[in-house]
Amino acid sequence: MPAAHGIFAAALPPLAGSLFSLLAITSLLLAFVMLGSRWLYEYLIAFAVQSWLIALLSAAVAFYGGYPELYGIAVLTALFRGLVLPYLLLRIVRRLKVDRELHERLAPSSSLVVGAMLVVFAFVVATHLGQALGLTGTVAVLALTVMLSMKLIGFLMLTVRSEVISQVLGILVLENGIFLGSQILVPGMPLLIELVILFDLLVVVACFGVLVRYLVVHAGTSSTLELRRLTG
Amino acid sequence: MSIGALVAVILLAPLAAVAGCLALRRPRASEYLNLIAAIVSFGAVIALLPRALGGPFTLWRGYLIVDPLGAWVLLSVATVYLLASIYAIGYMRALDEEKRLHRFYALFAGFALTTLLGPLMNNVGVYWIAIELTTLVSTFLVGFERTRESVEAAWKYIIVVSAGISLALLGIIFFYWGGSLTLGATYDLTWSALRSVAPRLNPTIALAAFLLVFIGFGTKVGLAPMHTWLPDAHSEGPAPVSAMLSGALLNTAMIGIARFIQVADSAHLGTLPRTVVVVIGALSLLIAALFITRQTEIKRLMAYSSVEHMGVMTLGFGFGGPLGVAGALYHMLNHSLNKSLMFFGAGDAMHAFHSKRIGRIHYVLTAMPVAGLLWMAGAVAITGAPPFGLFLSEFTILRAGLAGPNAWAVFVMLLLLIVIFIGFLNHFRTMYFGEHPESAAVHRQPRAAGTAFWCVLPMWLALVPLLVLGVWWPRAFAHYFAVIAAQLAIGGSP
């Protein structure tokens, strides 16, 4: 039943299809920018731009799919994810007086290679799921690929980066991936859930901010490499 | 009182305590406010239990659900909240943190509120958010003592659990996506909607979604290999917080797994989902057995024991059927009582000997005669020895497994339970009957004045029901479990 697949089966205007693809792929590229850089400020800018792109995507889905409530989500995404969160993180970075990764477990160049392999894996999984639903070659498969890739890249960042702020950004990339995918796959998701998840993210980052301060004061470090007292 | 009023009381009591603690900012007032909230919540949960049997009822525009399964989890949560609130009065006074005590109790009541909220959530997305909230509040309780170790534990806890639980969100979105192909783009993803749409879900999507959800909530439950946050968080928080984490929080996430197993059953995904659940449960037992035998710290020992018991419960739900579900649910309550007792004893021993290390705790009975005896009894109980409740529930789960397709897991479970029995009690042997009597007097500290009553009372309150539940399986419970098992079966009531 193609009609039930929403706007994302074959019957998508070519312009809309290209726009969705462009936004999704650019967001994925920005995840790679974070992966390939050592500088915390670059992470922040990439994250902010990524959030803005996702906001644009929400607006585009609202326009082409006829989900007016997504305009509101677009505005809130731009505001919260694009401005407030980067600002909160910027404050943490300034307070930490650390502006780059010093001891990453995997050099940025190697992480890019691993990241590329993860995208291939995500593509295989997404294609498989797409085939099961008869969606081969649609935006839905692309959205799935980007969603899973960003998820995996987020986990990769959590694994190979040791600065606390990189870990927070890793979590945020995970969340951005889910949010991006959900805009295309389930645009009709009840508004309340999306609002609460947005709010939840804000609380998460606030908690991270407080914890980072505790870490610096009580553990004397902002690098998780130093957190190795608790083992066994 | 109506069900709606009872639910309101259950939730508003801790909320009022949070507000009261923050408004009054007095240590003594905060203690008692929190205790009163715990008593009121517990009373309301007890009153709710029989009423929930006729459920499921939905309240508040369908966002809240009261069903027997949820009410049962509420019972174990409220029990631990009450016991931990009594114990906290004694334990926290001895910590000498008077100035920050009102904040501790505000967080503590807030933590209880979020854990009580989880089982009541009818919308799957909102349930996820409730679980996420429990993490955020309890992180600050774990890091409350502000030592280097506790802050490290808090950090690992929030990072590992946030990352893990984001997989559950992905899984929920997959479920929503799969459902939207038949139900239309916008609908409310309640448990009943998910269950009724499950047979029409595309199996590939449903399987992927179930695995993601299981790994995600499994992280929060502390199943191996996603358990890494658990020993740190349980060992570094103050003892009442450890009891709440282990006895209350883990159950709140477990209920999600139980409900998703039913969804997987209804989707007719074959044997794979249950096999995955059983394998992860058995793996948790294995990891716990390895770390319990080689453990050197008292609270980490208890933490790995939680991994073990979550594994046992997961096996119970994974085996399924009336016996498996009944065993798992009985085990949930028994474990909540018993693990509270164990953490209380560990907290007392830490105060008495000023150390967490098992090697520095000797002749416990001379330092704390009554609490020591209770703790010892709890240790025997938690390893699954008769005549305590855990023996009955573990035995039930073993019997349930033998009948199913994953009977191999029963033998693995049995073997590992024996290993854990020996390993766990061996640590207690060294702590109670050490080799060097003269070293016993060296580290011992007298108990702070006025705390004995508050510390020992909850241990009695935990041990006595545990013993009763071990020799007498109340008929009302059996009926309750039968109703829950029927509702958790394929096509079970809404």
Side-chain angles (χ1 to χ4, degrees), chain A:
Chain A
M1 63 213 110
H5 286 155
I7 54 171
F8 302 105
L12 201 61
L15 182 63
S18 329
L19 185 61
F20 291 145
S21 313
L22 182 68
L23 289 171
I25 291 174
T26 319
S27 306
L28 181 59
L29 279 179
L30 283 166
F32 272 96
V33 169
M34 285 189 227
L35 204 56
S37 166
R38 276 199 181 86
W39 299 91
L40 297 180
Y41 286 110
E42 286 181 10
Y43 292 0
L44 276 182
I45 294 169
F47 173 74
V49 176
Q50 196 180 49
S51 305
W52 280 89
L53 289 178
I54 293 174
L56 272 180
L57 184 73
S58 294
V61 173
F63 182 73
Y64 286 105
Y67 294 98
E69 68 274 15
L70 282 185
Y71 285 119
I73 295 290
V75 172
L76 288 176
T77 306
L79 202 66
F80 276 132
R81 288 183 191 242
L83 288 176
V84 178
L85 289 188
Y87 172 71
L88 286 177
L89 291 169
L90 187 69
R91 276 185 37 178
I92 301 176
V93 173
R94 286 213 178 120
R95 202 184 303 127
L96 283 181
K97 302 192 184 67
V98 178
D99 57 358
R100 55 172 288 192
E101 272 288 344
L102 289 174
H103 307 287
E104 66 277 285
R105 271 160 247 193
L106 195 63
S109 47
S110 321
S111 353
L112 285 178
V113 177
V114 179
M117 290 192 286
L118 293 177
V119 173
V120 172
F121 175 70
F123 177 70
V124 172
V125 174
T127 315
H128 182 69
L129 283 174
Q131 268 169 358
L133 288 173
L135 290 174
T136 316
T138 59
V139 180
V141 176
L142 179 72
L144 260 181
T145 311
V146 172
M147 185 181 195
L148 295 174
S149 304
M150 281 172 68
K151 195 92 198 166
L152 292 169
I153 288 174
F155 276 115
L156 182 64
M157 282 177 69
L158 281 173
T159 321
V160 301
R161 298 288 157 87
S162 57
E163 272 303 321
V164 284
I165 224 63
S166 316
Q167 298 210 331
V168 177
L169 277 165
I171 298 262
L172 291 176
V173 169
L174 292 180
E175 295 264 349
N176 260 2
I178 295 180
F179 206 73
L180 184 149
S182 69
Q183 297 302 304
I184 293 186
L185 295 179
V186 289
M189 197 161 74
L191 195 61
L192 179 99
I193 306 285
E194 306 206 22
L195 287 180
V196 180
I197 289 176
L198 268 178
F199 174 74
D200 171 74
L201 205 60
L202 201 63
V203 180
V204 171
V205 171
C207 290
F208 275 127
V210 177
L211 265 184
V212 168
R213 199 178 324 155
Y214 287 175
L215 268 181
V216 173
V217 173
H218 300 283
T221 179
S222 66
S223 166
T224 52
L225 285 178
E226 307 285 319
L227 300 181
R228 51 168 112 206
R229 289 229 177 157
L230 302 172
T231 48

Side-chain angles (χ1 to χ4, degrees), chain A residues 132 147 151 188 214 218 229 232, chain B residues 146 149 152 166 186 202 300:
Chain A
M147 185 181 195
K151 195 92 198 166
Y214 287 175
H218 300 283
R229 289 229 177 157
Chain B
R146 305 266 176 94
E149 287 82 6
E152 176 178 337
S166 75
T186 302
N202 179 293
R300 295 183 82 83

Side-chain angles (χ1 to χ4, degrees), chain B residues 39 47 62 132 194 209 216 272 328 357 459 466 469 478:
Chain B
I39 294 171
E132 171 85 14
L194 187 56
L272 184 65
R357 302 194 67 80
M459 295 176 80
L466 203 56
L469 291 177

